[in-house]
C-alpha cells in the first residue's frame, strides 16, 4: 500500500509547505521540473523561463516560486504532485526526494496543526500594516506633509519604526522572503539548529556526495549521516566523499556554505559533555568500511547502467535465444555457475548464481572468480562469450530499484538465509515443503532424499546434512586405498548403503525426463511383451530399503538392467536410446569415483 494513501490532502499540503526549501536547493533540477511539466502541474511558460536560468541562486529562488505557485494554484492536485516526484528515476537522481519519502515512510515527520494558522495570522497583520502605510502616504501627499528629507527622518527613527517608514528586512513577510535566502546568511547563522525543518536533521555535503545528518545520532557518537539508506560516521562520510586526506571531517563536511565544525562550536550546549560529536570510536569507523565499499559499488553500477542505456548495441546471433531462457551458464575466471533469472536483483542483492557449493550474488561470484583488483560483475562475468551487461541491456535481466522491498533485496538475516538453498527439490525438480542441507545449496522433499528423512529429524535443532555432503566429507577415510572393480562388486551391501544411495540420487537428478524412474509397463504400450524382466529406479530403491540385495554386485546388476532394457526396447528410437546411454555412462563414472576403483578394470558387462 502506498503511504500517500493514508494521508489526507491537508497533511500532504502541510508536508509540502515544510519541504519546499529543501526541494528548491536540489542540484540540477531540470529533470524534476520536466516531470512537473509533463504532469501539467506547472505551465509551459513558467517551465521554459526557469530552464533557461543559469545562475544557481536565481534558479533556487525560481524553483521555490514554482513550488509556491503549485501550492496556491494546484492544492487539489497535491497527491498527484507527490506521486509524480516519488518516481524511481527521480529518487535515484535526487537524494533530497529520497529523504523526504523516507520521512513519510518511517513517520519521522510530525504534522503540526498550529503552524499554518499562525502563519496565516501573521500574513493578515502584515497586509493590514502595508495597507495602513499606503493610506497614510496618500494622506501625506494630499496635505503636503510629506517631506523631501524623508531619508534622514527614517534614519532618525530607525530604532522606533512606524508604519509610514519603508519596510526593513526584519519587517518582511516571514512566509516568503526568508525562504528565498540561504538558511545560513547574516543573523540567521546562529539559529540554524532551531529551524523547524532542521530540528532533527541537516542536509550535508562532502565533495560531490550528498547526505542527511541526524543530530541526535551525532550527539550520541553514532553513525549519523545517511546516504541512499546507508549510514556513515562523519569520518566515513569524509572518506566516501573523497576527502580522506583532509583528516578533519568537521571542516570537510559542510551544511551548504557552513562547515560542520562551526555549527557544532556555535551550538555546543546542545550536546551533553559525554556525548559531544566526534566521540565515535575507531572500531565503529573500521566497521563502516564495508558499508562504504558497498555504497561505492552501487554508485558505480548505476553509472554503468546509464552508459549501457546509451550504447544502442543490439544482441545478435545466438544471444537472441536468451530471452526465452530463465537459467544461464556463466563463468568468471575458473569459476562456473548457473544464473537464475528469477533470483536476480542486482550486483549485491539476490543470490542468483548457483555453484556446486553455494548460491552467490553476482558481486560475490566475481570477487571469488576474478583475479582483478577491482572487478566489475557486469563486465567480468561472461555468458555465451559476452559480458553479463548484454542481458541487462536487452532487458532479460532487470536490476531492481534501490528502494525495492522484495525479499531478494531485503537486508534482514532471515530473508538472506532463505536464499542459501535451492527453491526446487534436487531430485524431482518440483517445489513444496523442502528440507535444506546446511552444508550445500541442495533442497529435497523428505521422501525424495535417500535415506528418507523422518519428521523426528526435522524437529531436531542439529544441522542436517544430505547424502551428497556426507559421502564427500567421508570419502578420504572410507577408502584409504584403491580397489579393483571386482573387489568392489563383492563387497557386502550393508557396508556400502551410503554409496548405493548416492548413486541412485545421481541417477534421479540426471533423469530429467523420468524415463527410468517409474514402472514402464504401466505407461509404455507393449513394453511387457518386449521386455520380460522390467526394472526401474523406484523398484531398485524399494529392494535396497527392504534389504533384498546381499552384495554390491546384485545392486549394480539391477541398475544396469534398466539401461539394457532401455536399449532393447528403443532400438529404433535414437533419442531415448541416447538418454539411456548417458545415464549408463554417468552411473559407471560415479561408481568408479565413489568406490575408488583403479583405472584398469573390467567393464561392468563382463563382470556379470
Amino acid at each position: 500500500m502506498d503511504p500517500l494513501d493514508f494521508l489526507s490532502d491537508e497533511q500532504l499540503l502541510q508536508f509540502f509547505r515544510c519541504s519546499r526549501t529543501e526541494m528548491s536547493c536540489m542540484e540540477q533540477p531540470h529533470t524534476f521540473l520536466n516531470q512537473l511539466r509533463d504532469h501539467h502541474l506547472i505551465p509551459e511558460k513558467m517551465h521554459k523561463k526557469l530552464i533557461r536560468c543559469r545562475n544557481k541562486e536565481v534558479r533556487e529562488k525560481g524553483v521555490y516560486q514554482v513550488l509556491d505557485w503549485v501550492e496556491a494554484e494546484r492544492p487539489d492536485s497535491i497527491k498527484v504532485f507527490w506521486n509524480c516526484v516519488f518516481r524511481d528515476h527521480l529518487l535515484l537522481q535526487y537524494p533530497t526526494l529520497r529523504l523526504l519519502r523516507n520521512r513519510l515512510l518511517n513517520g519521522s515527520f510530525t504534522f503540526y496543526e498550529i503552524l499554518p494558522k499562525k502563519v496565516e495570522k501573521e500574513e493578515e497583520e502584515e497586509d493590514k500594516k502595508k495597507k495602513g502605510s499606503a493610506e497614510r502616504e496618500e494622506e501625506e501627499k494630499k496635505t503636503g506633509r510629506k517631506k523631501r528629507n524623508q531619508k534622514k527622518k527614517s534614519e532618525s527613527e530607525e530604532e522606533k519604526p512606524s508604519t509610514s517608514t519603508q519596510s526593513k528586512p526584519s519587517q518582511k513577510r516571514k512566509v516568503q522572503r526568508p525562504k528565498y535566502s540561504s538558511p545560513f546568511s547574516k543573523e540567521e547563522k546562529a539559529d540554524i539548529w532551531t529551524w523547524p525543518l532542521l530540528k532533527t536533521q541537516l542536509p550535508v555535503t562532502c565533495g560531490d556526495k550528498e547526505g542527511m545528518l541526524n543530530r541526535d545520532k551525532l550527539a550520541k557518537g553514532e553513525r549519523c549521516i545517511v546516504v541512499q539508506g546507508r549510514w556513515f560516521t562523519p569520518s566515513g562520510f569524509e572518506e566516501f566523499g573523497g576527502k580522506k586526506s583532509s583528516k578533519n571531517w568537521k571542516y570537510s563536511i559542510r551544511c551548504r556554505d557552513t562547515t560542520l565544525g562551526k555549527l557544532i562550536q556555535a551550538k555546543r550546549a546542545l550536546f551533553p559533555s559525554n556525548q559531544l560529536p566526534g566521540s565515535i570510536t575507531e572500531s565503529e569507523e573500521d566497521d563502516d568500511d564495508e558499508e562504504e565499499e558497498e555504497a561505492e559499488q552501487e554508485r558505480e553500477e548505476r553509472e554503468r547502467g546509464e552508459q549501457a542505456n546509451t550504447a544502442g548495441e543490439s544482441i545478435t546471433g545466438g544471444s537472441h535465444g536468451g530471452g526465452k531462457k530463465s537459467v544461464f551458464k556463466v563463468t568468471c575466471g575458473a569459476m562456473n555457475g548457473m544464473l537464475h533469472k528469477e533470483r536476480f536483483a542486482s550486483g549485491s542483492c539476490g543470490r542468483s548464481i548457483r555453484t556446486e557449493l553455494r548460491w552467490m550474488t553476482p558481486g560475490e561470484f566475481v570477487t571469488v572468480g576474478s583475479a582483478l583488483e577491482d572487478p566489475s560483475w557486469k563486465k567480468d562475468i561472461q555468458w555465451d562469450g559476452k559480458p553479463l551487461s548484454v542481458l541487462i541491456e536487452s532487458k532479460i535481466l532487470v536490476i531492481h530499484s534501490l528502494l525495492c522491498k522484495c525479499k531478494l533485496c531485503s537486508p534482514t538475516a532471515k530473508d538472506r538465509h532463505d536464499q542459501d538453498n535451492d527453491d526446487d527439490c534436487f531430485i524431482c525438480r518440483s517445489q513444496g515443503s523442502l528440507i535444506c542441507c546446511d552444508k550445500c545449496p541442495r533442497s529435497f522433499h523428505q521422501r525424495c532424499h535417500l535415506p528418507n528423512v523422518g519428521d523426528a529429524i526435522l524437529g531436531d535443532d542439529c544441522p542436517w546434512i544430505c547424502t551428497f555432503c556426507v559421502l564427500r566429507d567421508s570419502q578420504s577415510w572410507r577408502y584409504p586405498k584403491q580397489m579393483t572393480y571386482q573387489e568392489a562388486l563383492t563387497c557386502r551391501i550393508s557396508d556400502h548403503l551410503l554409496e548405493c544411495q548416492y548413486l541412485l540420487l545421481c541417477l534421479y537428478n540426471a533423469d530429467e525426463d523420468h524415463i527410468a524412474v517409474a514402472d514402464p509397463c504401466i505407461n509404455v504400450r507393449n513394453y511387457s511383451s518386449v521386455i520380460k524382466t522390467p526394472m526401474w529406479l523406484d523398484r531398485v530403491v524399494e529392494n535396497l530399503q527392504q534389504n533384498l540385495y546381499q552384495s554390491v554386485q546384485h545392486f549394480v546388476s539391477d541398475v544396469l538392467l534398466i539401461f539394457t532394457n532401455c536399449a532393447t526396447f528403443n532400438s529404433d528410437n535414437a533419442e531415448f536410446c541416447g538418454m539411456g546411454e548417458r545415464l549408463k555412462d554417468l552411473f559407471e563414472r560415479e561408481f568408479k569415483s565413489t568406490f575408488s576403483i583403479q583405472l584398469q578394470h573390467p567393464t561392468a558387462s563382463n563382470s556379470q
Side-chain angles (χ1 to χ4, degrees), residues 88-105:
D88 284 351
H89 66 285
L90 290 181
L91 294 173
L92 287 173
Q93 183 172 350
Y94 299 109
T96 300
L97 295 179
R98 290 198 295 272
L99 293 171
L100 292 177
R101 188 173 187 273
N102 289 338
R103 288 185 199 171
L104 289 179
L105 291 175

Side-chain angles (χ1 to χ4, degrees), residues 3-22:
L4 299 181
D5 295 337
F6 296 98
L7 300 175
S8 64
D9 287 352
E10 184 179 352
Q11 289 176 315
L12 292 176
L13 277 172
Q14 172 65 34
F15 184 65
F16 178 85
R17 295 189 192 101
C18 295
S19 306
R20 284 180 298 183
T21 301
E22 292 173 86

Side-chain angles (χ1 to χ4, degrees), residues 224-420:
C224 55
I225 301 176
V226 60
V227 181
Q228 300 176 9
R230 300 186 180 277
W231 288 92
F232 293 88
T233 61
S235 58
F237 182 64
E238 178 186 43
E239 184 176 352
F240 183 56
K243 300 290 185 179
K244 183 179 180 181
S245 58
S246 301
K247 296 182 179 180
N248 195 334
W249 58 265
K250 293 183 181 179
Y251 294 95
S252 300
I253 301 176
R254 292 178 172 268
C255 188
R256 295 295 295 277
D257 297 327
T258 304
T259 63
L260 211 57
K262 289 184 179 180
L263 291 177
I264 295 172
Q265 191 175 13
K267 286 295 175 181
R268 184 169 285 268
L270 285 175
F271 305 104
S273 58
N274 63 340
Q275 289 186 345
L276 289 176
S279 61
I280 302 171
T281 62
E282 294 182 0
S283 61
E284 288 175 327
E285 294 178 8
D286 294 338
D287 292 341
D288 197 54
D289 289 342
E290 184 177 351
E291 293 187 5
E292 294 171 28
E293 294 175 359
E294 292 176 357
E296 183 67 21
Q297 180 184 357
E298 290 188 354
R299 183 183 67 81
E300 292 175 355
E301 290 172 7
R302 291 196 301 274
E303 291 177 355
R304 290 194 296 270
E306 292 175 0
Q307 295 173 359
N309 290 334
T310 60
E313 296 180 1
S314 60
I315 299 178
T316 58
S319 300
H320 284 294
K324 299 179 181 179
K325 297 172 61 177
S326 61
V327 180
F328 305 89
K329 185 177 181 179
V330 294
T331 59
C332 182
M335 289 284 290
N336 294 282
M338 302 299 294
L339 188 149
H340 292 247
K341 177 180 177 181
E342 69 276 2
R343 276 180 170 242
F344 177 80
S346 67
S348 58
C349 296
R351 291 175 178 164
S352 54
I353 300 179
R354 188 191 189 279
T355 65
E356 181 65 23
L357 298 179
R358 65 190 183 101
W359 284 91
M360 297 181 177
T361 64
E364 294 170 341
F365 185 75
V366 76
T367 300
V368 176
S370 177
L372 299 177
E373 183 177 350
D374 186 21
S376 166
W377 64 271
K378 289 183 180 179
K379 296 179 181 179
D380 296 332
I381 297 178
Q382 299 285 316
W383 164 75
D384 196 22
K386 303 178 181 65
L388 205 61
S389 59
V390 172
L391 295 178
I392 298 174
E393 293 171 11
S394 59
K395 307 298 183 183
I396 296 174
L397 296 179
V398 179
I399 298 179
H400 291 203
S401 164
L402 293 176
L403 300 177
C404 180
K405 292 186 176 181
C406 71
K407 288 188 176 182
L408 294 177
C409 300
S410 174
T412 63
K414 180 183 180 302
D415 289 331
R416 286 187 175 274
H417 180 67
D418 289 343
Q419 301 177 38
D420 289 343

Side-chain angles (χ1 to χ4, degrees), residues 43-59:
E44 184 71 26
K45 183 177 180 181
M46 183 182 297
H47 172 265
K48 289 182 178 179
K49 182 179 179 181
L50 194 54
I51 287 295
R52 289 194 296 265
C53 181
R54 300 300 179 188
N55 185 277
K56 183 178 179 180
E57 293 183 1
V58 176
R59 186 171 62 233

